[in-house]
Amino acid sequence: MKKMNDCKDDCSVKLFNVSAVILVMHDSIPSGELLTEWEENGAHITLVLGGGLSAKRSTREIRDLPKKVRVVDIKDEIKRNKVSARIKEAIMHTDAEAKRTILLTDHPAAVAGGRRKGLYTIIGLTLDKENLRPFYDEGANLVIHNPEQLEIIENSENKTGFIQEIPGLFKNKTSFESRFGKKKPVFFFDYDGTLASIVKDPEKAYITDTMRNKLADLAKNHRVSVVSGRDKSDIEDFVQLEEVIYAGSHGFRITGPDGLYMEQENAEKLLPGLDEMEEELRIVLEQKIEGVQVERKYFAIAIHYRNAPPGTYKKIVQEVNRLISDDPDFKKGRGKKILEIKPALDWHKGKALEWIMNHLDLSFPDESMPVYIGDDVTDEDAFRALADDGIGILVGKHSQLSAAKYHLDDVEQVEEFLEFLLNSDRF
Ligand SMILES: [Mg+2]
């Protein structure tokens, strides 16, 4: 996946080798022209109509659709179960793999239906730029404002993938600043790949002194948190700033100045189960596959495979799946060259951020505006949580579509961003 930074608004998403597009539409449908274009680029199109559109079936808008578009009318409001069944039919009808099928919908209930059917790419569509959360809360990967943002591209390599444009922060400083209005910013930083470069040995992912000093300067005037998948004590040791709030284990443990404290008690009960899995993973993976590193964190086990030989990934995933398949208490997480086993609790970086915002007495969201900067898939939970009331900034790239509003290229640009904040009159 590549990123380009010259777009400002309604940035494009190029999707490669899509076999099927299922549209579940309540209010409006994309133009016949656009659907023809998608079709010419290899996508079978199913249009499921519900709610307001059901009643308007015979209008000109619908008659102008390309002939090959299969139209299904649910003749009712769009509801989770009903849509789920229609999506299943559409998948069977087009015979497309889940990873080559895109669901595009203007109704949050359809997002939930698509999730249930195991679709990988679910895109919400709404004109209301202040109201994206209903789509993200149901599990949308991305919410766009205009179907023309989606480009479907067929290429000879026949590989799936995407290129998502995200506005570059430095090219859009004015728009970034203007988002705050009178609100006070609150800053959240991921650690690895954001404040410190990713290195081969995770124990040596040090933050530079200049980055630390800038972070300390920022913390003089603003609330600053570091939110990481690492253990809390681990990031504290790296960052070494007393004035910062630390959220470790994706937010399972949070501490900060003035007695700020939170710990997920339900996760404590799962520690013995983690102990057992750790032992087994060391035997079946660490000792058997060279380069695999099993790292026990307080509330999770990370399996690092950055240094493992190519072709061993499948075996690693199999072993992880085997361990957690019968155990509803745990779930699998992914990051950059990391698999993780963690408690299957409904808690993540986004919820940790909301917890911190609500416990800082900042009148959120009326008087304060959180900004979250991160580089990995787990940071998307925070970007989605901030879709309506904050700003997500993606550093570099990862393997999924991103809900971030701005983009920075790398850790060096994060430092430049800190410099910009420190020098800006606005902050
Ligand atoms: Mg990271």
Side-chain angles (χ1 to χ4, degrees):
M1 180 186 64
K2 290 176 200 157
K3 293 262 156 59
M4 289 171 292
N5 304 320
D6 18 33
C7 65
K8 284 196 175 353
D9 210 0
D10 287 356
C11 299
S12 82
V13 182
K14 296 183 170 68
L15 300 153
F16 297 99
N17 295 300
V18 172
S19 311
V21 179
I22 302 169
L23 298 123
V24 181
M25 294 296 172
H26 182 275
D27 295 321
S28 67
I29 49 178
S31 70
E33 232 170 31
L34 184 67
L35 296 182
T36 304
E37 202 180 300
W38 291 353
E39 218 175 55
E40 283 170 358
N41 284 301
H44 289 281
I45 295 170
T46 306
L47 174 60
V48 180
L49 304 173
L53 278 176
S54 263
K56 286 199 283 179
R57 271 207 72 175
S58 58
T59 59
R60 195 168 163 271
E61 198 179 23
I62 291 174
R63 284 202 308 269
D64 280 352
L65 291 175
K67 283 205 175 59
K68 278 199 231 154
V69 170
R70 195 170 149 258
V71 180
V72 178
D73 185 358
I74 58 176
K75 295 185 180 140
D76 200 355
E77 283 306 305
I78 291 176
K79 290 185 195 118
R80 222 171 266 221
N81 286 343
K82 251 185 193 147
V83 173
S84 194
R86 295 292 180 261
I87 291 170
K88 189 178 170 193
E89 275 170 25
I91 295 171
M92 279 158 55
H93 189 83
T94 54
D95 200 24
E97 293 168 74
K99 69 172 180 186
R100 291 183 193 266
T101 303
I102 308 291
L103 173 67
L104 176 66
T105 182
D106 62 2
H107 201 293
V111 172
R115 251 315 138 234
R116 232 184 241 187
K117 292 295 152 213
L119 291 178
Y120 290 27
T121 310
I122 300 178
I123 300 176
L125 175 68
T126 175
L127 288 174
D128 184 356
K129 295 187 179 181
E130 312 291 307
N131 202 18
L132 313 182
R133 274 297 289 274
F135 291 91
Y136 283 123
D137 287 351
E138 295 291 358
N141 302 87
L142 180 68
V143 184
I144 58 171
H145 311 296
N146 179 349
E148 306 274 342
Q149 285 175 258
L150 295 186
E151 288 178 46
I152 288 176
I153 297 170
E154 202 176 16
N155 64 20
S156 51
E157 287 166 37
N158 201 27
K159 280 190 187 148
T160 56
F162 64 90
I163 297 175
Q164 181 184 4
E165 285 191 323
I166 300 175
L169 194 134
F170 293 122
K171 287 191 177 152
N172 294 282
K173 282 180 190 165
T174 320
S175 103
F176 173 76
E177 286 178 324
S178 68
R179 282 179 188 269
F180 291 87
K182 288 188 175 153
K183 291 183 183 181
K184 199 171 161 38
V186 183
F187 296 99
F188 294 81
F189 294 84
D190 164 54
Y191 185 74
D192 293 273
T194 300
L195 290 175
S197 297
I198 292 179
V199 289
K200 273 198 162 187
D201 181 355
E203 302 297 305
K204 293 184 179 149
Y206 302 115
I207 181 172
T208 62
D209 288 339
T210 54
M211 185 78 95
R212 181 184 292 110
N213 291 339
K214 283 174 187 155
L215 205 59
D217 285 346
L218 188 71
K220 282 178 192 157
N221 294 314
H222 301 283
R223 291 288 194 163
V224 173
S225 304
V226 180
V227 184
S228 171
R230 287 181 186 262
D231 284 346
K232 192 181 71 68
S233 55
D234 210 10
I235 8 169
E236 273 172 322
D237 289 347
F238 277 125
V239 178
Q240 295 175 19
L241 294 173
E242 278 176 14
E243 54 277 42
V244 163
I245 295 165
Y246 295 95
S249 313
H250 304 292
F252 280 58
R253 269 182 160 185
I254 300 171
T255 57
D258 309 321
L260 189 75
Y261 180 81
M262 194 280 301
E263 186 161 315
Q264 287 281 323
E265 282 172 21
N266 296 335
E268 286 290 341
K269 296 178 199 144
L270 303 176
L271 293 177
L274 277 174
D275 292 343
E276 275 173 37
M277 283 194 271
E278 177 195 354
E279 206 173 305
E280 187 156 358
L281 285 167
R282 291 203 189 277
I283 297 166
V284 297
L285 290 180
E286 202 170 53
Q287 292 171 15
K288 290 220 172 107
I289 304 175
E290 207 192 315
V292 171
Q293 215 179 328
V294 173
E295 182 200 355
R296 176 55 193 273
K297 303 176 176 188
Y298 193 72
F299 282 126
I301 305 168
I303 300 113
H304 299 265
Y305 58 89
R306 184 173 296 277
N307 304 321
T312 50
Y313 176 69
K314 209 174 160 190
K315 164 83 177 155
I316 298 168
V317 178
Q318 267 172 6
E319 289 296 349
V320 170
N321 286 344
R322 183 180 61 81
L323 276 181
I324 58 171
S325 60
D326 295 330
D327 200 336
D329 286 339
F330 296 98
K331 64 180 176 185
K332 185 170 62 185
R334 286 170 204 275
K336 290 180 174 172
K337 306 284 181 192
I338 296 177
L339 278 180
E340 229 180 15
I341 294 178
K342 50 190 179 183
L345 297 174
D346 186 22
W347 194 258
H348 49 62
K349 286 178 166 183
K351 300 225 170 177
L353 179 150
E354 286 173 327
W355 187 91
I356 293 172
M357 288 305 291
N358 291 327
H359 280 77
L360 286 181
D361 211 11
L362 295 165
S363 308
F364 171 65
D366 297 337
E367 290 169 26
S368 56
M369 170 90 92
V371 180
Y372 185 103
I373 303 110
D375 73 311
D376 211 341
V377 175
T378 55
D379 299 306
E380 290 297 327
D381 290 319
F383 298 157
R384 287 190 282 260
L386 294 183
D388 296 334
D389 296 307
I391 302 173
I393 303 174
L394 177 66
V395 182
K397 58 186 181 179
H398 57 63
S399 59
Q400 295 179 8
L401 289 168
S402 178
K405 294 196 172 75
Y406 296 98
H407 182 250
L408 291 167
D409 288 343
D410 48 29
V411 174
E412 286 69 38
Q413 281 208 345
V414 174
E415 196 172 325
E416 270 176 60
F417 172 63
L418 284 170
E419 186 76 41
F420 157 70
L421 294 173
L422 294 169
N423 292 328
S424 161
D425 295 337
R426 172 62 191 80
F427 301 107

